[in-house]
Amino acid sequence: MRWQYCWKTALVLVVQLAAVGAASEQFDEDLTIRPLRDGKLSARFSFSSLLKDARPRDPQQLSNDDEAQHYALFPLALGQILREYAVTELHLSLNAGKWNYDAWGYPDEPGIGTGAELWVWMGESMPASVDLRWQGLRNALAGLFCASLGHLDEQRTTAPALTFQPEGSLPNFTYPHQLRHATLPSEHVCTENLTPFLKLLPCKSRSGIASLLNPHRLFDADWHGLGVHVRYQEAVGVEVRLTFQGVFDPVRYSNEKRRDWSLRSVFDRSIERACPVARSSKIRVELPPGSSPYSITPDPSAINDGVATYVVDASEEALDVAMRWPMEDTFEYPKTSEAPPLTEVSVRRNLKGTNQAEAQLTLVVTNNLPVQVTAGYLETMPWLLQFHLHTLHAHVNGVARDDLVSILSYTPPVPHSRPALLQAVLTLPPSSTLHLTMDVVKPFLRYTEHQPDAQRGWDLPPAVLVPFAFGEGQNGTVAASHGRRPRRIYTPIMLVDLATPDFSMPYNVIIMSCTLIALIFGSVFNLLTRKFVVVRVSPAPADPAEAAAEERQR
């Protein structure tokens, strides 16, 4: 009986400790659905875990044993990595596809650069430097998310602090914080990245909004990407936010070519039950503007500022939100040339040139507002492409306007060691287009430095434009986005063709050498091993009787 009493006491203590741990943590999930004007559907999943009253680990204490961490809802695998390398703020994104700013507007999550992007803020320390912890962090994240983040070495690492400002608070440590940023445009997101992503959620994908994360539908989207965001909020705690966003095409899924959609038609699933540990679980649907009549079912819990909100509770009925346009027979895609862009600034970038030694980098920035816009321009380029900074020129409507480029900062690349970092402030006149051109040089690589698919070319990371100041127009108006947090605009990645040796020559040499060796070896082998014998042949007699007599004599 004594052991039963001890067992019950231990069980009660475990339950009490779990309740205390859950009280210091909270988990929220939400899904934001936004119909787009081209018939597509933008969906953003967000799962937020807050560790109340927690602080990032002081990097000066890395030489000492860390205090014990007990997590109930906070992702343990990620929390251990954050504590091990004393990370204050972290942002990781894995994206596939090209985000269309002009047709889709700004994304819900700003980090939509193609490929992998990782940037962190870490405090300096004496026991372990920032670069050493940065190396260990990216290798740990590579193992956690099954991604090639280990390739984000010093050849791709920069510190553009003007563009990537901290989104949370930085603790007042003894030493200041430093930024590390790196991109890998050739990285692709797939199911092997989504599986460890789901394991970080308290309910996994068995219940709640996360049950809609069907990989067969997510990776069939026109654009998709997942993100991991960690930030510290003073007097609040440490927050980990896991996001997945995608752009789906209901017209492509519909046999009648209609833009009607539902959770079942888009994700092939509905929400059967709520996540029991979620403090709040909501689905928000932005109601489309315009005169086209539509219907949304079931009735939302609330409608505020054009957003219908559904609360995912413990009801027995499955939740399947649907929106239909009953007056439309088939959806007609709008003409791209007639539709105005949905962002204040439009950006295009390309690389011009006909040879494999030189080229010209062109950046075309269009100001869609009737007011002057000031934007930060960031170009992070691997040493595979080297800038000629003295050839940087700006033109507006064919007129040279080099005065529109100011506060220019350039860090030249070091071959095999450091990428190039170009930062500048661009002044965009009202309703105008700025052309920025610069000559670049393509270096020669060693034959051992080429990729396995060398003839395909090299992927170059996207440029980043950050509009942060909006001036007054001729009529005294100010842009409506003035005063909000600046949002980053990513350009599509580029493909550069470098001078590539003829990798078929080794194959040809091997074939020729093997052929010659076979001929020479075969001839010598026959001469050494074959025995030559002289055989005397007598002429045959003409008469058969004589032949028979000679045979008897023998």
Side-chain angles (χ1 to χ4, degrees):
M1 299 297 294
R2 183 176 180 84
W3 68 269
Q4 292 181 354
Y5 174 77
C6 295
W7 180 81
K8 292 180 180 179
T9 304
L11 182 60
V12 171
L13 290 176
V14 170
V15 173
Q16 290 178 351
L17 288 175
V20 171
S24 62
E25 305 174 40
Q26 67 182 34
F27 174 72
D28 302 282
E29 60 179 4
D30 67 83
L31 169 61
T32 302
I33 300 178
R34 178 163 54 98
L36 304 175
R37 66 183 183 185
D38 59 353
K40 295 181 173 57
L41 195 69
S42 173
R44 192 276 304 266
F45 296 82
S46 179
F47 308 93
S48 176
S49 300
L50 177 62
L51 192 61
K52 298 180 181 179
D53 300 327
R55 284 175 56 88
R57 186 180 182 183
D58 190 347
Q60 298 299 322
Q61 304 298 327
L62 288 175
S63 57
N64 303 328
D65 292 338
D66 190 18
E67 57 185 9
Q69 303 293 322
H70 302 282
Y71 301 141
L73 304 177
F74 200 82
L76 175 61
L78 183 59
Q80 291 176 337
I81 295 176
L82 299 176
R83 302 290 298 185
E84 176 68 21
Y85 301 103
V87 178
T88 301
E89 185 169 324
L90 179 145
H91 299 274
L92 169 65
S93 61
L94 298 172
N95 305 312
K98 173 187 173 183
W99 184 271
N100 190 349
Y101 283 95
D102 293 340
W104 303 339
Y106 286 107
D108 296 320
E109 299 294 332
I112 52 89
T114 304
E117 182 184 33
L118 175 64
W119 58 283
V120 299
W121 282 91
M122 295 186 293
E124 295 182 3
S125 64
M126 297 302 293
S129 64
V130 173
D131 293 329
L132 185 61
R133 288 152 51 205
W134 163 254
Q135 178 182 1
L137 174 65
R138 63 176 187 256
N139 291 331
L141 293 176
L144 179 61
F145 292 102
C146 299
S148 304
L149 302 179
H151 294 167
L152 299 175
D153 53 9
E154 64 276 358
Q155 299 187 28
R156 298 181 179 272
T157 302
T158 57
L162 296 178
T163 304
F164 295 92
Q165 294 287 331
E167 298 183 0
S169 305
L170 298 181
N172 189 16
F173 292 147
T174 306
Y175 295 93
H177 282 73
Q178 290 190 12
L179 170 69
R180 292 296 181 268
H181 173 270
T183 58
L184 189 63
S186 59
E187 181 70 12
H188 297 283
V189 56
C190 59
T191 308
E192 64 183 6
N193 309 121
L194 181 64
T195 300
F197 176 88
L198 294 175
K199 290 183 178 180
L200 299 178
L201 302 177
C203 293
K204 307 301 187 285
S205 60
R206 300 184 181 92
S207 61
I209 293 178
S211 61
L212 298 177
L213 294 175
N214 182 4
H216 297 284
R217 289 300 183 91
L218 296 180
F219 299 114
D220 188 43
D222 294 0
W223 185 95
H224 57 270
L226 60 86
V228 179
H229 309 279
V230 181
R231 64 175 181 173
Y232 165 68
Q233 301 181 29
E234 190 174 1
V236 177
V238 177
E239 179 192 33
V240 171
R241 192 164 52 87
L242 307 176
T243 63
F244 191 99
Q245 59 181 346
V247 176
F248 304 88
D249 191 358
V251 181
R252 180 159 55 93
Y253 300 147
S254 174
N255 296 328
E256 295 82 12
K257 300 303 178 182
R258 298 168 59 91
R259 58 171 170 170
D260 300 343
W261 62 268
S262 65
L263 296 181
R264 174 69 64 178
S265 65
V266 175
F267 303 107
D268 197 25
R269 295 176 181 177
S270 59
I271 301 179
E272 302 293 339
R273 55 186 178 274
C275 179
V277 298
R279 186 190 65 164
S280 66
S281 181
K282 298 180 180 180
I283 297 179
R284 298 180 175 89
V285 181
E286 295 188 10
L287 303 180
S291 57
S292 299
Y294 62 89
S295 63
I296 182 171
T297 56
D299 295 334
S301 304
I303 298 179
N304 297 315
D305 299 330
V307 177
T309 303
Y310 293 87
V311 177
V312 181
D313 51 18
S315 61
E316 297 180 357
E317 296 182 0
L319 179 60
D320 186 12
V321 181
M323 180 175 288
R324 295 177 176 83
W325 283 262
M327 303 302 295
E328 290 183 358
D329 295 333
T330 58
F331 178 74
E332 296 182 1
Y333 291 97
K335 296 182 180 179
T336 307
S337 58
E338 298 179 357
L342 295 178
T343 56
E344 298 92 350
V345 177
S346 302
V347 187
R348 290 184 294 109
R349 187 182 65 153
N350 52 56
L351 197 64
K352 301 178 181 179
T354 58
N355 57 51
Q356 295 181 331
E358 298 176 350
Q360 186 181 65
L361 181 66
T362 303
L363 182 75
V364 181
V365 185
T366 301
N367 183 6
N368 302 317
L369 298 177
V371 298
Q372 179 177 289
V373 176
T374 305
Y377 168 51
L378 171 66
E379 192 77 64
T380 303
M381 195 66 65
W383 64 271
L384 304 174
L385 214 63
Q386 301 175 5
F387 298 151
H388 281 173
L389 199 60
H390 67 282
T391 62
L392 179 64
H393 296 291
H395 296 81
V396 176
N397 299 327
V399 180
R401 293 293 306 274
D402 292 343
D403 59 299
L404 299 180
V405 181
S406 59
I407 315 180
L408 187 63
S409 173
Y410 177 60
T411 303
V414 176
H416 313 282
S417 178
R418 185 181 67 191
L421 178 62
L422 175 63
Q423 300 181 91
V425 175
L426 306 180
T427 302
L428 309 177
S431 304
S432 62
T433 300
L434 173 67
H435 292 259
L436 206 65
T437 59
M438 181 172 48
D439 295 338
V440 297
V441 176
K442 307 174 185 177
F444 285 92
L445 304 181
R446 305 187 187 103
Y447 78 94
T448 56
E449 295 174 342
H450 285 274
Q451 304 177 109
D453 52 346
Q455 302 296 336
R456 174 184 174 273
W458 294 77
D459 292 297
L460 300 180
V464 182
L465 200 75
V466 184
F468 58 83
F470 301 86
E472 295 185 359
Q474 297 179 356
N475 56 357
T477 59
V478 181
S481 56
H482 180 74
R484 72 183 180 195
R485 177 184 290 271
R487 292 192 280 191
R488 300 187 299 273
I489 300 177
Y490 290 81
T491 66
I493 62 175
M494 294 191 304
L495 194 67
V496 60
D497 183 22
L498 301 180
T500 306
D502 185 6
F503 285 103
S504 65
M505 281 303 299
Y507 174 78
N508 297 335
V509 172
I510 292 173
I511 294 300
M512 180 62 69
S513 302
C514 292
T515 303
L516 294 177
I517 291 175
L519 292 176
I520 297 174
F521 176 80
S523 302
V524 175
F525 182 80
N526 287 335
L527 291 175
L528 295 177
T529 59
R530 180 174 296 179
K531 183 178 181 180
F532 295 93
V533 179
V534 178
V535 179
R536 299 182 180 277
V537 180
S538 58
D543 190 0
E546 296 179 357
E550 292 181 356
E551 185 66 26
R552 286 193 297 270
Q553 292 178 358
R554 294 177 181 176

